[in-house]
Amino acid sequence: MTNDEELAVAAAISIAIIGVYTPATASANGGSWQRDSVGWWYKNSNGSYSKNDWQRIDGKWYYFDGRGYITHSKWERIKGYWYYFNTSGHMTENAWKMIGDKWYYFDNKGHMLLNQWVGDYYVGKDGDMLKNTVTPDNYVVGSDGKWDKRFSRELAEKAILYINPTRSNISKRTTAELFSQSHKTNYDTVIALMNVLYPNYNYVNNAKLSIKTLM
């Protein structure tokens, strides 16, 4: 299965989850899940229960708060790392997960990754997958977050420095023409790159920006 297919499957699963999952009462650990008016907690076979601690139950990791209840449906920062606990309360691990409208990746320890590549996708300083931009190491990622291999790192770096619609009051076509001439780059390649980085670039042509601005 490709990364795109994995993301599509993960998205479908995220949409399908409705409500709060109810843990099975019995457990292979010999203990049992208990519920009261506050929430779920886990009673070990000897009658004890975890507080402010991790516990692996039936192959999944759970974190219990200071009162002994599971953490679920939320982010939690524990000892310097961000974790996300599903509706069932177990830690997200080895997976992409859409939270809100953003994608995050959690490693085999449940840590949210940041500032690094995960396959052909890059997660930024806040942990979310970057889209329609240039990564800190000058690779272009598209609207799906995937590395767009059509564009070189050199071109991506120049584009970030010299093509910015918020500083320009000329049309997309004129900007592409000026850039391609100034940097000896194929016009169609520049247009394709602009479509990725600035899909909503203004087409209005006021022709007030000189070529010196782009050099």
Side-chain angles (χ1 to χ4, degrees), residues 65-110:
D65 66 19
R67 297 177 297 173
Y69 294 99
I70 62 168
T71 301
H72 67 86
S73 309
K74 62 183 286 191
W75 289 96
E76 194 75 28
R77 188 172 178 83
I78 303 170
K79 295 183 178 179
Y81 294 100
W82 281 105
Y83 300 83
Y84 188 81
F85 296 91
N86 294 303
T87 53
S88 60
H90 65 81
M91 176 185 79
T92 304
E93 56 185 318
N94 278 330
W96 286 99
K97 186 172 181 62
M98 179 177 274
I99 304 170
D101 60 350
K102 297 180 179 180
W103 284 101
Y104 300 84
Y105 189 81
F106 300 86
D107 67 12
N108 59 4
K109 295 181 180 179

Side-chain angles (χ1 to χ4, degrees), residues 117 120-122 130-160 189 192-198:
W117 286 94
D120 284 342
Y121 302 85
Y122 193 92
L130 300 188
K131 299 179 181 181
N132 292 109
T133 191
V134 174
T135 64
D137 50 355
N138 295 322
Y139 289 94
V140 176
V141 289
S143 60
D144 59 354
K146 190 173 183 179
W147 171 27
D148 194 326
K149 300 179 183 180
R150 294 178 296 171
F151 310 111
S152 69
R153 297 176 70 185
E154 180 183 15
L155 179 60
E157 183 177 18
K158 288 179 180 178
I160 285 296
T189 300
L193 179 58
M194 292 174 72
N195 286 338
V196 173
L197 300 183
Y198 306 111

